Amino acid sequence: MGELVLVSYPGEGSLPSLSPPATKVILALGRSGLAHRIKRVGAHNVKKFSPTGRVPALIDGERTVVDSVRILDDLEAREGLAHPLTASEPLARARDRAYEHVANEALYWPLVFSRWCVPANRERVLDGLAGSGFFKRAAFGYFGSKEARARCDGQGTGKKPFAEIVGDFARGVVSLNDALAGGPYLEGREAPGRGDFALAGILAQVGWRDATPELNAELAKHPALAEHAKRTFAACGLEAPDWL
């Protein structure tokens, strides 16, 4: 088996990528023990590596798998993993994928909207991505917010008032906090799975540069989730961002 190459957006510090789905896959790859390399590219270069123009994209020789869920399906089915990426029992495995879906829907879309479609938050994001450079900042701001708005509108989140979007995030956080069931990982399991990778991959983004204070406030009500994210990063051989 050759080396796997994961195409991802860059991160900052110990945050491996500013893309939550890419962060999820990076965690899973770390847990898997599979030999891999991460190629971080800017948005203008993604189409050179991803047929859909989206990241993450996993390149395995002549084959490219795009979309974090499909990538985890691909990794999960491989032989020689250092650790399994989900539960072996069918019902537990189904629940693990359900938690992944909750994180992908209830937490991811409010994060995207909050970052790019709330003007004050977008300025904080641009501070991190483009600094004070006028043209770079204008390009990131225009194209980033335009794409994010179109995607959020198409998914449905963008059609809601922002207070309702924050409420959706808050309900998702409460549900996933309850799902820890007093254990180190979701459903009290002793090892992380797909739901844990997805959850930690998003929670690691929320505190970045304090760009989404409304979501930060909701997450701060549930300190067990930050501890969960730290444990998940550690179990995958990665250092968690210091703002968790």
Side-chain angles (χ1 to χ4, degrees):
M1 182 185 299
E3 183 184 46
L4 300 172
V5 178
L6 182 73
V7 180
S8 166
Y9 290 139
E12 184 175 77
S14 55
L15 181 64
S17 174
L18 283 170
S19 161
T23 302
K24 174 177 72 171
V25 175
I26 291 168
L27 289 168
L29 280 166
R31 183 70 177 166
S32 76
L34 295 169
H36 67 280
R37 175 169 58 90
I38 300 173
K39 185 175 186 61
R40 294 178 170 87
V41 300
H44 61 289
N45 281 326
V46 170
K47 288 187 178 180
K48 294 180 182 178
F49 306 97
S50 169
T52 65
R54 306 289 306 162
V55 298
L58 184 71
I59 301 173
D60 184 5
E62 298 299 315
R63 190 170 67 97
T64 301
V65 183
V66 183
D67 181 84
S68 66
V69 173
R70 291 185 174 86
I71 292 173
L72 261 60
D73 287 347
D74 180 271
L75 297 177
E76 181 187 314
R78 291 173 182 258
E79 296 181 355
L81 301 182
H83 302 281
L85 300 183
T86 190
S88 58
E89 192 273 319
L91 183 56
R93 186 165 61 246
R95 287 200 293 261
D96 188 27
R97 292 188 179 209
Y99 290 127
E100 181 185 10
H101 179 73
V102 170
N104 289 349
E105 293 298 318
L107 304 189
Y108 173 74
W109 290 106
L111 175 62
V112 172
F113 186 94
S114 182
R115 272 181 170 178
W116 288 104
C117 303
V118 177
N121 294 353
R122 183 170 62 245
E123 290 303 308
R124 297 184 185 97
V125 170
L126 293 175
D127 286 343
L129 293 179
S132 59
F134 175 80
F135 293 107
K136 187 176 181 181
R137 194 178 183 95
F140 268 107
Y142 176 75
F143 291 108
S145 59
K146 183 178 179 181
E147 180 184 2
R149 185 79 209 203
R151 293 178 63 215
C152 287
D153 284 353
Q155 187 268 345
T157 293
K159 303 293 187 180
K160 301 177 182 180
F162 184 48
E164 189 174 327
I165 294 170
V166 174
D168 290 343
F169 181 86
R171 282 193 297 277
V173 163
V174 168
S175 295
L176 290 163
N177 183 72
D178 290 346
L180 289 176
Y185 301 104
L186 291 168
E187 294 216 327
R189 293 190 308 268
E190 293 301 316
R194 295 175 60 141
D196 300 284
F197 305 142
L199 175 57
I202 292 173
L203 297 186
Q205 310 281 331
V206 173
W208 176 70
R209 289 181 173 264
D210 198 28
T212 55
E214 301 85 358
L215 305 189
N216 298 1
E218 295 301 329
L219 182 57
K221 298 174 185 177
H222 307 282
L225 286 175
E227 294 304 314
H228 164 273
K230 293 176 187 177
R231 281 193 297 273
T232 302
F233 268 73
C236 299
L238 296 171
E239 179 185 357
D242 58 12
W243 53 78
L244 276 169

